[in-house]
Amino acid sequence: MMKTIILLTGVADQQFALTELLKAHNPALSFRCAVTAEELAAIEPEVLHEARLLAFTTSVIVPESILAALGHGAYNFHPGPPQYPGWAPAHFALYDGARTFGATAHVMAARVDSGPIVGVESFIIPDKIGVRGLEQIAYVRLAHLFWRMSRDLACDPAPLAELDIAWCGVKSTRQMYREMCELPAGINPSELARRIRAFHDDFRGIPLTVSVHGIRFQLATTATQTPEAPQVISPPLAAAS
């Protein structure tokens, strides 16, 4: 019997809407929420045995021991399509000049973004959109995917049906991101424009830099940015019907 949903989220503010949505489908559920690996590790083994874990926009890597202890599986909601597994998928999609993007729900496995896929959302990338705008749209689609799957997640203790869709593409990492932000001194104009569009942002704390004669320079970021997409404050989950 599934008694508990464990919510592992990127920030604590996401937890209220997600729990209320799931609770509406199954009022008998109890909830344990975590943001950090330490909070997740503190959940008792007896709770894990009768629980399902749902991860939403988190960077925490769930240990294999916890995945094995869960009685009703673990599912991750990844803010990128199956073609872009890994870290900061929107950045790499813009760099590649991808025409479509999306969101993915999948079974959590020991290797990040590798488990069977159970849900997808996709959309065409608007022309001239920046990375923040693309991530905002992907977040809305990810919230909609969670809403669409919420009844099964809350009410059906059996494993979710797997889709005939496979992960593909290169799994991006933080190190790959850092390497893209290190500009060669002789970079050509078209490559520079691609990297500025995809990686010139300060919200991940990894700036674009270039070294000239042993001196490292950092590209300045603007103090204000023109909104490129509707601003999304929180996922529109609780109000969905």
Side-chain angles (χ1 to χ4, degrees):
M1 180 179 177
M2 185 171 66
K3 293 183 178 180
T4 303
I5 293 289
I6 298 170
L7 277 177
L8 176 63
T9 59
V11 294
D13 288 348
Q14 296 168 327
Q15 293 167 0
F16 177 78
L18 299 177
T19 55
E20 289 300 303
L21 175 62
L22 296 167
K23 196 184 300 181
H25 292 303
N26 186 351
L29 284 172
S30 61
F31 292 86
R32 297 288 293 271
C33 296
V35 171
T36 66
E38 292 74 18
E39 291 171 341
L40 182 62
I43 297 176
E44 301 81 0
E46 58 270 24
V47 173
L48 296 175
H49 182 67
E50 297 179 315
R52 167 173 286 162
L53 187 149
L54 303 178
F56 189 86
T57 68
T58 179
S59 60
V60 173
I61 298 176
V62 179
E64 191 171 3
S65 58
I66 290 181
L67 294 177
L70 290 161
H72 300 281
Y75 298 94
N76 181 51
F77 285 78
H78 170 70
Q83 295 83 0
Y84 284 92
W87 202 70
H91 294 259
F92 288 94
L94 280 188
Y95 176 76
D96 290 343
R99 296 305 306 146
T100 61
F101 200 64
T104 307
H106 65 95
V107 177
M108 297 185 77
R111 290 176 58 247
V112 172
D113 295 346
S114 67
I117 293 171
V118 295
V120 293
E121 286 275 326
S122 62
F123 60 90
I124 296 173
I125 297 176
D127 292 337
K128 299 181 181 179
I129 196 168
V131 67
R132 292 202 184 198
L134 181 56
E135 288 199 325
Q136 287 177 337
I137 297 173
Y139 185 84
V140 171
R141 291 303 184 100
L142 192 67
H144 179 75
L145 181 60
F146 191 100
W147 169 80
R148 185 159 59 82
M149 299 176 63
S150 59
R151 182 181 297 276
D152 288 339
L153 291 169
C155 301
D156 189 351
L160 273 62
E162 299 173 8
L163 302 180
D164 189 21
I165 300 173
W167 292 101
C168 56
V170 177
K171 186 180 299 182
S172 56
T173 65
R174 186 184 294 264
Q175 180 58 33
M176 290 170 60
Y177 188 102
R178 289 185 182 278
E179 291 170 358
M180 295 301 293
C181 290
E182 295 176 1
L183 305 174
I187 190 170
N188 65 56
S190 62
E191 177 65 13
L192 179 60
R194 288 176 67 193
R195 296 208 192 185
I196 287 175
R197 183 190 183 204
F199 299 101
H200 186 37
D201 211 320
D202 60 357
F203 74 109
R204 293 189 184 275
I206 305 175
L208 284 174
T209 59
V210 61
S211 295
V212 180
H213 303 303
I215 301 175
R216 194 173 193 83
F217 296 88
Q218 177 178 321
L219 270 69
T221 55
T222 56
T224 59
Q225 297 190 9
T226 302
E228 296 150 331
Q231 299 297 302
V232 180
I233 304 302
S234 60
L237 295 174
S241 60

